[in-house]
Structure formats: C-alpha cells, structure tokens
C-alpha cells in the first residue's frame, strides 16, 4: 500500500499529497503563549484563513542544563503540534539549533559558553557534540509527528538565516545530516534575508526568503537562484520588535496588506512572522548589537495580527478578508475575544531588602578574580544563565572605579550597601566617596539579554567578564552571589519570616510583596507600575518579565490562567525606586510609536 506523498518542491508550485498546494502560514511560538491559550490562538489562526503553523524550538528551554531535558507542560512540543493537527493545520518545524527569534542567545543554551574556545554555529567539536546530543532527543519527540508517520509536519527548516553568519562551509551540511540521519524525510528548507540568500543554502534544500518590503527585486532574485522551484517568503515581517529606550514599532495595516496581496497575486507561498507574537516571559528576551547594545523588551507583541493578549486587530480582519479569497469554503467563525479586567490597585504590604535576601541564595562563591555568570559553580555546574549576580569585595579608599567595559550588561554600584552609581556599556566610570577604613563594594550585575543575531554570539558571556579597577588597580578577593531568581529561591524567600511591614523608607534594591484578591473567574489584565524604576514581577511564582521606566513598554501582560479566584501573590524585585501601589488596566500601553515602513531598514537593525 503506497502512502500519500508529502510536501514536494519539484516544480514551480508546491504539491502536497500529489495536488497543488499553497502555504498560507503564520508563526506562533508555543513558548511565548500560556499553554491554556494555545487552542484559542490556533483557532484564530485557522479562522483567519491560514493553513500552516510555523514554530521555532528553543534549545535553551528544552535543555536548560547539559543532559537535562524538559518537554513537559508549557514546553510540551508534542502536545502543541498535535493540537495544530486537530485544528486541521499543517506544521513547518524550525528546530534550529539556532533560532534568532529575539530570544536570549538565539535559543542556544548559555552553558555552551563555559568552553572558552566555543565557536557557536560552526563545526567546532564542542558545538557539534552538544547539537548531536540535543537532536537525538528532539527528533525522537517530533519524528512520530512527521507527515510520513501520519502527522502534520510537512517541512523542516535547516538552521536559521545562516547566510547572515556563514562562518563555516561544513556547518549547513552537518545540520542537514543531523535531521536526515535521524529519519527526517520531509521537505527541508532554509530561510534567509535577501543578502544572506547566496551563502545560506545547502545542496538539496529549498531556499526561502525573509522580507518586509518587495524591494531589490527580492522575489525575482530567489526565482533566479532556483529556477522551476516554488517560491516562498518564510518570514513576512508584518511588524517589528521593540528595544528598551526606543519607540514601539508599528507597521500600518494598509501598508502590510498591499505587500501580502502582491505576494499572493504572484503565486508565492507566505508565512506571516509573527501571526501572534506573545511574550518574552521571564528573562528570555534577546538583544541586538550593531555597535550599540540594545536589549529587547518583555512584550513580543510585534504589532502582529493577533495582539500580545491574543486579540484580533485591524490587520487580522484585513488578512481574513484577503485569505478568504483563496478558499472555496467559508472560513470558520472567529472565536470571541478574551475578557480583560482592570483590577483595583493593590498596595504594597511587605518588603525585604536585597541584602536580607542573600541568605536564601545558594552558597556564595569566593574567587580572587571576577568570574562570569556562565562559569559560576551553580546549577549542577552548568553556570548561571539568567538574572542578576552580586559581586562583593573590600575596598580601603575612594576614587575612580573603572569597569574597562567588562560589565555585562548593567551594574548598580554600592559602597556599604548605599548605591553610588551605575555602570553599563555607555558608562564605564563611577566616583566612589572617600572614607577611612575598610568598606564593602558591591556590584549588582544584570544580564539584560544575550544578543540573538549577528557575529557576536561567541562574546555573550554575562556578569563581570574581566578586571574592574579602582584607581588603576584591579580589584581582587570577590564573594559572588547567584541571584537567578529561580523558583526554589523565590519559594525560600516567600516563606521567610523576615519580611518587614514598615513602608516609610524601604531600602532598594528590594523584594516587595502584596496580594491581589480576584472575585469570580480570573481574567487577563495588564500590570502598570508608574512611579517604579526597573525590575521584575512574579505572580503566583510565574516570572512575568522585566519592566523599566524608560519604556516604550509601560505594562506587563498577566494572563488570566495564571491567576486564581481568591488570593494571588505578587512579588516585585525593584532595583531603584519603590512606589506604594501597583495598577491594573484592561489594555496595554506600548508607549510612543514609530512607523517601521518609514524607517530605513538599517535603522531597525
């Protein structure tokens, strides 16, 4: 008995099961959407007229420590792909190992950087071995979901945008072999922007293109490279991401629709990146560095057709009308929007200073010289991946403290626990006050997000990465505390009997705690923190992500399923200034906007 044929690219049009097929795709990342909302988002995708889901797979979440894998709960990739199949959606899997995705280190686990000689995205043996071990596990999860096994996966991407990196001629053939040698027989694709197309391909693998504007003859360029092959825009950027201190990027619906319409009129397949962006929960946002380091914000709204909270936007309605023309049957009904609620403000009830919380961290590490996060002997010797690290040493004078640009990425400077300044990529010097006798110098260093795109991936070690000097003399004799704010630490912190209730002058940095009482079924809401400075919010133990008064983002999305009827615990870690209350809103405030279409592309990067 012969099995139906999967996706094929043997002529100028795709075929699936032997019949002509047009990919009308959209990207939704399961790791950016609370699992209880997967169904809602995929139903809305189907109702918009799309037939294919694409998703990246983040290695750093699935293998957080070397050899320790997690494919459960929020990371249940098998359940997500199976749900897409249940909705009648095909799936294009983009397993990396590098995914970019505006995600910390482009999805690569930080423990790779323990090797000082590591060369990421190359055939360097340390990287090859780690990829092989990871793919052994990953492919065993997704193999039963391939088309030939009766599953929805019709294509698999080989790495991601390697043409923009292109450091090793043997690398793409290696990744291709990683897939095929483990029994992946579906159509293989690569994905590159216009400039990376020539270098990013590999033999026997279909090239696709990433773009936002139909300029430089991009589609024709792809057609010329692959005569008599189907054309596909793997990432049609229908919005853009934001960085702290910038503006919220918008791409007007009419401008987007004009390009999508033309792509479809030309008979080209398309995947909307992002169809629904979601959220960089926790510490998972990436960063960009093209001469200036810029960390990305917590929201991954992306000005996508579905908003961060899953609402249908004007873009969604326009695209639904457009895609309906490519279906012979009426599209399914659009699911109703999620209800949102502006809860009453809550007032801070308890606080605990950073210094009082240190007893709940793992045993501090003592070292003569500073040690970067990834090399700390924590997390079963996998190093520290995310969060904050406190470096303390003794000084006997004031004067000029110079970071020599060895702070990654931002450090609050303390003398005897009083803040005296901040060091980052732009500020390398702080003046320390004079005083007699020995004092404690503290440097609270935050990993603000590892760069996810470009040539600097091997330089993304965090914490203090070299000498810090006081009056030209390198500091020595450090005590180093790991503050990655993981669940076990937060649990110990919560159960402490040392929380203080006097709110006249809470010292910062501090953990601040309150309760939100929810009457009736919980609804989505948006946390607003006017009057606060910079920090992280936890609700019922879930890390919602970072906030920072510099914007553009002035809210944190709090999904209803992460709340419960009755009492909910909120803990804020605030670095600089505490306010007495937290506000809630029904709608987000993205801050000042800038139109992507009116910017030269290079300014986006």
């Amino acid at each position: 008995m012969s099995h139906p044929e999967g996706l094929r690219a043997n002529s100028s049009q795709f075929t699936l099961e032997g019949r002509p097929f047009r990919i009308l795709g959209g990207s939704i990342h399961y790791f950016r959407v609370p699992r209880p909302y997967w169904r809602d988002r995929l139903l809305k995708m189907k109702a918009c007229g799309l037939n294919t889901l694409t998703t990246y797979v983040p290695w750093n979440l699935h293998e957080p420590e070397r050899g320790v894998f997690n494919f459960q709960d929020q990371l249940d990739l098998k359940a997500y792909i199976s749900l897409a199949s249940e909705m009648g959606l095909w799936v294009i899997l983009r397993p990396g190992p590098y995914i970019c995705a505006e995600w910390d280190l482009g999805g690569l686990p930080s423990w790779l950087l323990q090797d000082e000689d590591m060369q990421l995205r190359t055939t360097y043996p340390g990287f090859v071995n780690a990829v092989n071990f990871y793919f052994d596990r990953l492919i065993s999860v997704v193999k039963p979901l391939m088309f030939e096994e009766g599953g929805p996966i019709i294509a698999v991407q080989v790495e991601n945008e390697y043409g923009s990196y292109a450091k090793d001629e043997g690398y793409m053939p290696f990744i291709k072999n990683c897939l095929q040698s483990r029994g992946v027989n579906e159509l293989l694709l690569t994905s590159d922007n216009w400039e990376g197309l020539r270098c990013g391909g590999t033999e026997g693998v279909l090239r696709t293109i990433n773009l936002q504007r139909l300029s430089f003859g991009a589609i024709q360029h792809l057609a010329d490279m692959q005569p008599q092959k189907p054309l596909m825009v793997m990432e049609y950027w229908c919005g853009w991401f934001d960085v702290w201190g910038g503006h919220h990027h918008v791409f007007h619906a009419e401008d987007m629709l004009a390009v999508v319409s033309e792509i479809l009129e030309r008979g080209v397949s398309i995947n909307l990146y992002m169809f629904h962006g979601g959220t960089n929960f926790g510490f998972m946002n990436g960063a960009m560095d093209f001469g200036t380091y810029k960390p990305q914000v917590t929201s991954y709204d992306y000005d996508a057709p579905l908003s961060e909270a899953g609402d249908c936007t004007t873009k969604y309605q326009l695209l639904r009308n457009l895609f309906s023309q490519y279906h012979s049957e009426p599209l399914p009904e659009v699911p109703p929007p999620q209800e949102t609620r502006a809860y009453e403000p809550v007032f801070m009830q308890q606080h605990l200073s950073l210094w009082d919380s240190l007893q709940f961290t793992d045993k501090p590490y003592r070292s003569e010289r500073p040690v970067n996060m990834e090399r700390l002997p924590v997390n079963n010797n996998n190093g520290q991946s995310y969060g904050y690290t406190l470096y303390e040493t003794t000084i006997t004078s004031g004067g000029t403290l110079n970071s020599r640009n060895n702070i990654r990425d931002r450090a609050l400077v303390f003398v005897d626990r009083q803040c005296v300044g901040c060091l980052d990529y732009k500020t390398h010097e702080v003046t320390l006050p004079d005083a007699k006798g020995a004092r404690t110098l503290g440097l609270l260093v935050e990993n603000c997000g590892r760069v996810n795109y470009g040539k600097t991936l091997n330089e993304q070690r965090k914490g203090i990465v070299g000498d810090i000097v006081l009056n030209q003399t390198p500091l020595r004799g450090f005590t180093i505390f790991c503050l990655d704010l993981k669940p076990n630490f937060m649990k110990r912190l919560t159960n402490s009997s040392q929380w203080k209730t006097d709110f006249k002058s809470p010292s910062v940095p501090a953990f601040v705690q309150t309760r939100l009482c929810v009457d009736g079924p919980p609804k989505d809401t948006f946390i607003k923190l006017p009057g606060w400075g910079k920090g992280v919010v936890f609700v019922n133990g879930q890390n919602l992500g970072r906030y920072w008064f510099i914007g553009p983002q002035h809210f944190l999305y709090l999904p209803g399923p992460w709340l419960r009827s009755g009492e909910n615990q909120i803990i804020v870690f605030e670095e600089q200034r505490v306010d007495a209350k937290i506000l809630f809103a029904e709608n987000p405030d993205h801050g000042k906007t800038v139109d992507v279409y009116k910017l030269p592309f290079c300014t986006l990067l």
Side-chain angles (χ1 to χ4, degrees):
M1 177 181 162
S2 63
H3 290 283
E5 253 190 354
L7 189 67
R8 297 287 182 267
N10 299 330
S11 65
S12 59
Q13 195 169 13
F14 287 113
T15 59
L16 180 61
E17 299 175 310
R19 294 189 292 275
F21 182 70
R22 169 90 68 103
I23 297 166
L24 302 175
S27 292
I28 304 179
H29 301 149
Y30 57 99
F31 47 94
R32 281 180 157 128
V33 180
R35 181 169 177 169
Y37 283 155
W38 287 353
R39 179 177 293 273
D40 172 77
R41 308 308 194 247
L42 295 181
L43 281 170
K44 285 170 179 165
M45 172 178 269
K46 184 76 175 172
C48 194
L50 301 184
N51 58 27
T52 304
L53 164 72
T54 73
T55 185
Y56 283 132
V57 180
W59 181 5
N60 52 10
L61 291 189
H62 287 295
E63 193 181 0
E65 296 178 8
R66 193 183 287 270
V68 176
F69 293 98
N70 182 3
F71 285 90
Q72 303 298 314
D73 304 320
Q74 183 65 47
L75 296 175
D76 193 338
L77 177 58
K78 184 177 180 184
Y80 184 63
I81 294 172
S82 300
L83 185 61
S85 182
E86 185 190 317
M87 305 277 144
L89 291 165
W90 299 109
V91 174
I92 296 176
L93 193 69
R94 310 176 79 192
Y98 161 86
I99 61 172
C100 184
E102 288 71 63
W103 195 251
D104 188 274
L105 202 59
L108 301 174
S110 66
W111 47 257
L112 290 167
L113 296 172
Q114 289 184 316
D115 178 351
E116 288 182 2
D117 300 319
M118 176 56 66
Q119 294 296 312
L120 302 172
R121 302 183 76 193
T122 70
T123 51
Y124 173 75
F127 189 70
V128 164
N129 293 339
V131 169
N132 273 319
F133 195 68
Y134 168 57
F135 270 31
D136 280 345
R137 184 61 189 273
L138 173 62
I139 302 305
S140 72
V141 171
V142 297
K143 178 91 168 62
L145 301 164
M146 298 288 165
F147 180 89
E148 69 171 3
E149 309 265 353
I153 299 175
I154 53 173
V156 178
Q157 188 173 298
V158 181
E159 232 263 355
N160 188 59
E161 295 185 319
Y162 197 68
S164 300
Y165 193 74
K167 284 196 171 185
D168 185 333
E169 284 183 9
Y171 178 67
M172 289 294 280
F174 158 64
I175 299 295
K176 176 189 172 188
N177 183 59
C178 277
L179 298 168
Q180 291 181 331
S181 65
R182 289 167 176 81
V184 174
N185 299 319
E186 307 307 331
L187 182 70
L188 298 181
L189 312 156
T190 59
S191 166
D192 284 285
N193 62 28
W194 190 90
E195 291 175 339
L197 264 182
R198 196 157 296 283
C199 305
T202 191
E203 193 179 339
V205 176
L206 184 74
R207 286 174 166 89
T208 67
I209 193 167
N210 303 338
L211 52 80
Q212 187 166 64
R213 315 173 193 194
L214 288 172
S215 47
F216 313 117
I219 302 280
Q220 189 57 48
H221 180 58
L222 179 63
D224 292 344
M225 292 183 78
Q226 296 184 134
Q228 288 306 299
K229 291 286 180 188
L231 298 170
M232 179 167 184
V233 179
M234 175 55 83
E235 291 185 14
Y236 176 69
W237 303 318
C238 47
W240 202 248
F241 58 87
D242 297 338
V243 297
W244 289 114
H247 286 168
H248 173 55
H249 290 97
V250 295
F251 182 21
H252 289 304
E254 295 75 16
D255 293 331
M256 176 212 70
L257 191 73
V259 186
V260 175
S261 299
E262 186 171 344
I263 288 170
L264 295 179
E265 281 165 17
R266 294 189 190 189
V268 177
S269 284
I270 191 170
N271 175 62
L272 301 169
Y273 188 97
M274 297 291 296
F275 180 72
H276 168 49
T279 311
N280 298 315
F281 293 115
F283 295 118
M284 299 313 299
N285 64 277
M288 51 198 284
D289 191 347
F290 292 89
T292 306
Y293 172 83
K294 296 177 182 176
Q296 287 137 10
V297 304
T298 300
S299 170
Y300 200 59
D301 178 85
Y302 212 86
D303 196 32
L306 283 186
S307 73
E308 179 176 4
D311 293 326
C312 298
T313 65
T314 302
K315 283 182 180 173
Y316 181 94
Q317 305 300 346
L318 292 172
L319 288 168
R320 179 172 150 86
N321 291 340
L322 176 64
F323 287 132
S324 68
Q325 299 166 30
Y326 292 84
H327 292 267
S328 52
E329 302 286 321
L331 295 179
E333 289 292 309
V334 179
Q338 300 292 336
E339 287 184 57
T340 61
R341 188 165 162 195
Y343 294 102
E344 290 298 311
V346 293
F347 292 84
M348 298 301 106
Q349 296 169 340
Q350 297 175 301
H351 62 95
L352 188 68
S353 80
L354 168 70
W355 319 109
D356 290 338
S357 77
L358 294 178
Q359 60 190 302
F360 305 117
T361 64
D362 292 335
K363 186 180 169 190
Y365 177 61
R366 288 181 170 77
S367 169
E368 194 58 17
R369 293 169 179 265
V371 176
N372 61 284
M373 284 170 60
E374 295 80 3
R375 296 198 58 132
L376 290 174
V378 295
N379 298 318
N380 301 316
N381 283 322
N382 285 273
Q384 181 181 348
S385 295
Y386 312 108
Y388 299 79
T389 311
L390 177 66
Y391 297 79
E392 288 191 335
T393 186
T394 301
I395 57 172
T396 54
S397 73
T400 303
L401 185 74
N402 192 304
S403 70
R404 292 188 173 173
N405 199 24
N406 285 324
I407 297 290
R408 301 286 186 275
D409 300 297
R410 187 174 180 274
L412 295 179
V413 182
F414 300 89
V415 175
D416 285 344
R417 301 185 170 178
Q418 295 298 309
C419 188
V420 296
C422 178
L423 296 167
D424 56 23
Y425 284 88
K426 293 176 186 166
T427 305
H428 299 164
E429 283 190 0
V430 166
T431 300
L432 304 186
D434 282 319
K436 290 188 174 166
R439 293 174 297 162
T440 300
L441 175 74
L443 296 160
L444 180 66
V445 185
E446 180 190 7
N447 162 11
C448 296
R450 293 184 184 85
V451 166
N452 55 267
Y453 178 83
K455 309 276 187 182
T456 63
L457 290 182
N458 295 308
E459 299 150 31
Q460 293 307 306
R461 293 169 183 86
K462 297 298 185 180
I464 300 181
V465 299
D467 280 337
I468 308 291
V469 299
L470 177 57
N471 303 326
Q472 306 298 321
T473 303
L475 295 172
R476 293 289 180 259
F478 286 90
T479 302
I480 306 172
F481 297 84
C482 168
L483 281 153
D484 48 13
L485 310 190
K486 287 169 89 168
N488 283 343
F489 168 79
M490 297 303 292
K491 215 169 274 180
R492 293 193 290 269
L493 187 77
T494 302
N495 295 332
S496 165
S497 59
Q498 296 175 30
W499 290 85
K500 297 178 174 63
T501 53
D502 171 18
F503 252 87
K504 283 178 188 145
S505 57
S507 69
V508 284
F511 293 90
V512 188
Q513 186 172 188
T514 187
R515 296 274 189 273
L516 168 67
C517 266
V518 173
D519 55 330
K523 309 290 186 207
D524 284 5
T525 190
F526 297 90
I527 288 179
K528 300 189 77 169
L529 296 144
W532 296 72
K534 184 179 192 305
V536 191
V537 177
F538 297 81
V539 175
N540 295 331
Q542 296 269 8
N543 186 338
L544 298 189
R546 310 172 213 253
Y547 63 91
W548 196 356
F549 76 91
I550 66 172
Q553 179 178 349
H554 294 293
F555 67 93
L556 283 172
Y557 172 51
L558 172 51
W562 290 358
L563 290 169
R564 44 183 175 248
S565 295
E567 208 169 74
N568 295 268
Q569 178 201 60
I570 300 177
I571 292 181
V572 181
F573 176 61
E574 167 59 56
E575 298 175 30
Q576 293 169 292
R577 59 175 196 240
V578 170
D579 192 67
K581 63 183 182 295
I582 292 176
L583 306 181
F584 299 89
E586 288 187 9
N587 297 299
D589 172 9
H590 288 283
K592 290 182 180 172
T593 61
V594 59
D595 182 357
V596 179
Y597 216 53
K598 294 185 170 62
L599 294 173
F601 185 69
C602 59
T603 64
L604 293 173
L605 300 177

